[in-house]
Amino acid sequence: MVANGNEKDTIKIKQIFADHWEDFKKTDLHKVPKDLIDSVTEAVEKMLRCGDPQYGFVKYLCTNCGKHEKKIGFSCKSRFCNRCGKVYIEKWVDKQVEKIIDVGHRHTVFSIPEELRGKIYWNRDLLKDLSDGVAQVIQYWFRNKAKNKEYEVGIIAVVHTFGRDMKFNPHIHALVTEGALDKYKNWKSVGYIPYEYLRKSWQKVLLDIFKKKFGQEPEMKRLIGTLYRRYPKGFYVHAETRMKDANGAAKYIGRYLARPALAEYRIISYDGKKVKFWYIDHKTKERKEEELEAKQFIGKLIMHIPKKNFKMVRRYGLYRRDLNKLAQKVVGLYKYLKTKIKSKIKPTKQQKKTWKQRMIESFGNNPLVCPRCKKEMELWAIWHPHYGLIYDGIKELKRENTRYEKQKERNILGRDSFSRGSGRQSTPQISLSELWV
């Protein structure tokens, strides 16, 4: 099977897993950290069930011609699923626009030396410590820039575990406000953090985390000393990307939140045994191709599945719940006073997009239009494997008809009692509902 670039020709990761997952569980699942096995298995098997009607479905029927119906299986809503992960990102971005403070942000990436990545692979709880460490580096600089002002900055940290070649390469993306609140709750534009400070401070904070966790191991003690000597200027930190507003910041960071380790359009071929894919080399910027056995390919993908309920996104400073609304209001007032143009003090809430709206935006067609009579189909049934039929269009019609008849009867009884009470013959009245055709 070879991909030609068309949607229909795209090789589905789901198919590769369907072909080899059961065999992989028997021979290779032991390579996954023990505390992650349940989370990995659940994520993969949810993805394999995604869209399968036997695990629940919604049925639409054309009530105009009665000749066409459409059954849609429930989505898995797993971030590991290529289809559902895309929807997850869209929803996350829409939600963040309401929370992100409408000021410039700096996108900063904190890297981790290759020598330490193996420890993180087998000890995933360290990922939280890494996010906390990044926040510590940034907050320390702001708070010590002018100690008497007690600056509070906003930070959103996102854990990312893969590089372009799908290898395990944990690093932290941080979105940082270009400014802070002082102790008097005034907004202050603050110059950005020097690269030299970021590199050296991140090196110390990161190695202190490892020293605290593995300091009793002789090999780790030697490695920490080696890394200080090998990187005298500190560990690499990228901090050149800048976003001007909240919408751009949310979309940019959303790119790194839930996207799979490999987009399906990058798969060149799959013959049932081997998978060939391409990527752009980070250093040379050249396209490279790699071919793996199917089970190796699966192993590379699942190593990036996080532990269930693990927070890939963490918020610090002005993005804490107790400070976020205050910061929004202060920045809105600050912009008004500075430009005399009213800024949004409270962001407008984004309406959630329905499945139909997302399909129309993606493919330009309404998926619920009857192919025969071109009328939009109506919801007719919802079935869940545990709860059975939880919505039945026929029963709903019967209930509606019963309610209508009862209301009609009450209207008639009401007119009769009015006639008897007045002693006069009642004037015939027609309900408005009876006039609809």
Side-chain angles (χ1 to χ4, degrees), residues 21-179:
W21 175 244
E22 290 302 320
D23 190 31
F24 181 92
K25 285 198 294 184
K26 295 174 185 176
T27 61
D28 293 81
L29 199 56
H30 66 278
K31 297 175 184 178
V32 175
K34 288 183 179 180
D35 61 341
L36 274 174
I37 288 177
D38 289 343
S39 299
V40 167
T41 303
E42 181 180 332
V44 171
E45 294 182 355
K46 278 177 70 176
M47 178 267 291
L48 289 172
R49 295 195 298 267
C50 186
D52 188 337
Q54 69 174 314
Y55 297 104
F57 63 82
V58 175
K59 184 165 75 174
Y60 291 88
L61 177 72
C62 181
T63 56
N64 185 61
C65 68
K67 299 292 185 182
H68 190 74
E69 68 177 41
K70 190 181 188 77
K71 189 182 286 185
I72 302 161
F74 290 160
S75 61
C76 66
K77 297 179 176 63
S78 168
R79 283 183 288 176
F80 182 65
C81 175
N82 279 59
R83 185 178 74 170
C84 295
K86 181 177 182 294
V87 176
Y88 179 90
I89 291 174
E90 289 177 0
K91 289 181 177 179
W92 186 89
V93 169
D94 288 343
K95 191 175 180 180
Q96 297 316 301
V97 170
E98 301 166 18
K99 296 180 179 179
I100 289 185
I101 302 164
D102 198 16
V103 295
H105 284 70
R106 185 73 62 166
H107 175 214
T108 311
V109 184
F110 292 79
S111 66
I112 293 162
E114 189 173 353
E115 295 88 341
L116 299 175
R117 296 172 191 171
K119 283 289 187 183
I120 299 172
Y121 177 80
W122 292 103
N123 300 271
R124 296 299 178 89
D125 289 339
L126 280 171
L127 292 172
K128 177 187 180 302
D129 297 330
L130 301 183
S131 291
D132 293 345
V134 164
Q136 181 184 338
V137 167
I138 296 166
Q139 288 173 326
Y140 183 85
W141 185 84
F142 273 87
R143 288 171 182 171
N144 283 271
K145 181 177 176 63
K147 291 184 179 180
N148 61 321
K149 293 186 178 179
E150 300 176 11
Y151 284 140
E152 189 73 74
V153 66
I155 306 163
I156 298 176
V158 182
V159 174
H160 210 218
T161 60
F162 53 86
R164 297 174 182 177
D165 57 0
M166 293 201 297
K167 290 178 182 176
F168 190 75
N169 177 14
H171 50 282
I172 307 296
H173 293 262
L175 202 61
V176 186
T177 55
E178 291 188 326

